[in-house]
Amino acid sequence: INRLFALYPKEWMAVDEGGDALAYAIESGSLTLFNSPHSIILQSKGLQAAAWGLYELGLLFNEEEREAIRLYMLPTYNKPVFEGSFVSKSMFGREGGSVRLFDTQGQLELADEHGFDTSELFPVVYQKRAELARIETAAGEFHLLTGMFMLNGAPCGLLGRAGGPITGNTSHFIALGVKERE
């Protein structure tokens, strides 16, 4: 392999079994990691705040897109403007590292203690708080975070991760399936 699309979180090299070999291949020039330029935009939670703002202003989106945003996105802003509970997170955080949960009075209720807090490096966004579903597994009861992936408006994948109220880097991947209607 000469070039590899960089979906792999680089900080995992320190703990993965083959991480030292991967790091050496990159450092020695034997392997080039790359991301397409749009990936930085798409992974930013700031894009969610921008999309929500355009939705609220009635700009850019047609009625079908507006309905999807209303149904499937949480209100997201660059400032904590909520009445009621909300969440803050870094625009470029992952694995729960910068997530903070605030109660209905706006007081900090819970913060991730284990992940890397990127909010010191990047701006923060604020989202309306939504309680995660619960799932019972052989390892116990967990909160279930469900991600849906779309290509050209068609659903193409589901991802389940089960953990605490903040889905961190110790969460469990959960297999999800969809039954076809008969």
Side-chain angles (χ1 to χ4, degrees), residues 14-78:
V15 295
D16 280 352
E17 195 172 295
D20 288 340
L22 181 60
Y24 177 78
I26 294 166
E27 289 172 12
S28 67
S30 301
L31 175 66
T32 301
L33 291 181
F34 67 94
N35 281 53
S36 58
H38 73 280
S39 66
I40 194 77
I41 295 168
L42 294 177
Q43 75 181 25
S44 169
K45 291 166 190 70
L47 181 62
Q48 289 177 288
W52 188 262
L54 291 168
Y55 162 80
E56 282 191 330
L57 293 170
L59 301 173
L60 189 65
F61 303 111
N62 65 34
E63 281 306 311
E64 183 180 352
E65 292 164 335
R66 289 182 55 70
E67 182 63 8
I69 291 168
R70 186 186 70 74
L71 287 172
Y72 301 113
M73 282 187 69
L74 291 170
T76 306
Y77 302 96
N78 294 321

Side-chain angles (χ1 to χ4, degrees), residues 89-108:
K89 52 182 81 168
S90 170
M91 283 191 190
F92 289 103
R94 77 168 153 242
E95 305 295 338
S98 64
V99 175
R100 291 174 179 79
L101 305 180
F102 295 85
D103 64 20
T104 55
Q105 283 73 46
Q107 299 298 310
L108 180 63

